[in-house]
Amino acid sequence: MPDETITVEPVSAALWPELQEVFGERGDPSGCWCQWFKLSGAAFRETTTEARAERLHESLDHDPPPGVVAWIDGEPVGWAAVEPYSSYPGLARSPITKRVGDDPADPWAVTCFVVRLEYRKRGVARALLQGAIDYALSRGATIVEGYPVDPGVRPSLSNAERYHGTVSLFDSAGFRLVRRPSTIRAIMRYEAEH
């Protein structure tokens, strides 16, 4: 496995079947379809799983597309959601991720990672994060944020609770810690070199 090549590319409408494969039919991704930060809590609860999937499907035609897909040997293995902060109304409502002080108004935000179970612990999340950074910068971003959890503070965090990514993952990609709005959550920021 060390010689595996992981490639990452922006999602497109043509990749919908591959994205469906990544999200699968069981577990949290197959129920959320990266709509948690896109909808209010009430709207999320009132929206069926099929409707959430359709919302993601429809967003693949938007400009910019809402994320990146990772591949190993032609097999779709992971997804990271990354768009401007303003694309995620839920971020502004959350006490964890709302703008404070001199925060940039509309950085790009990496909100979610999905890695197929059989491809975990192979560097897919790291490749997805770098792909998300590269994608955001190619679209004109100068700042990329993440909102990871810190298993160093609470090692019992489940895989489902790690969908934001981890502090160590973001740290390894050059993000700096901005603040800790809770014991286990961090706001981390990557700033492009000018």
Side-chain angles (χ1 to χ4, degrees), residues 110-133:
V110 181
T111 59
C112 179
F113 293 87
V114 177
V115 178
R116 289 173 52 193
L117 185 62
E118 62 272 29
Y119 290 96
R120 292 183 184 162
K121 299 190 184 300
R122 290 164 74 168
V124 175
R126 181 167 280 108
L128 281 164
L129 182 54
Q130 187 59 56
I133 294 167

Side-chain angles (χ1 to χ4, degrees), residues 9-143:
E9 66 179 295
V11 72
S12 67
L15 296 179
W16 177 242
E18 289 82 358
L19 199 55
Q20 287 177 295
E21 191 169 344
V22 169
F23 277 76
E25 297 178 2
R26 292 177 291 144
D28 291 336
S30 68
C32 181
W33 291 93
C34 276
Q35 298 305 299
W36 179 251
F37 295 111
K38 298 275 191 165
L39 299 166
S40 70
F44 185 87
R45 287 186 295 278
E46 293 167 4
T47 305
T48 66
T49 298
E50 294 75 20
R52 291 178 203 148
E54 188 53 34
R55 283 178 56 88
L56 179 58
H57 186 195
E58 290 171 0
S59 73
L60 301 184
D61 285 326
H62 294 175
D63 185 28
V68 294
V69 179
W71 307 81
I72 295 176
D73 295 331
E75 186 70 23
V77 298
W79 153 264
V82 57
E83 291 182 88
Y85 182 95
S86 58
S87 299
Y88 300 107
L91 292 178
R93 288 189 301 272
S94 169
I96 300 287
T97 53
K98 68 181 178 183
R99 305 283 81 191
V100 298
D102 61 353
D103 280 348
D106 201 19
W108 277 57
V110 181
T111 59
C112 179
F113 293 87
V114 177
V115 178
R116 289 173 52 193
L117 185 62
E118 62 272 29
Y119 290 96
R120 292 183 184 162
K121 299 190 184 300
R122 290 164 74 168
V124 175
R126 181 167 280 108
L128 281 164
L129 182 54
Q130 187 59 56
I133 294 167
D134 294 344
Y135 171 55
L137 296 180
S138 77
R139 299 301 298 234
T142 57
I143 298 172

Side-chain angles (χ1 to χ4, degrees), residues 18 64 187 191:
E18 289 82 358
I187 306 296
E191 298 186 35

Side-chain angles (χ1 to χ4, degrees), residues 138-157:
S138 77
R139 299 301 298 234
T142 57
I143 298 172
V144 182
E145 281 189 349
Y147 315 104
V149 295
D150 192 348
V153 174
R154 195 170 97 203
S156 62
L157 285 167

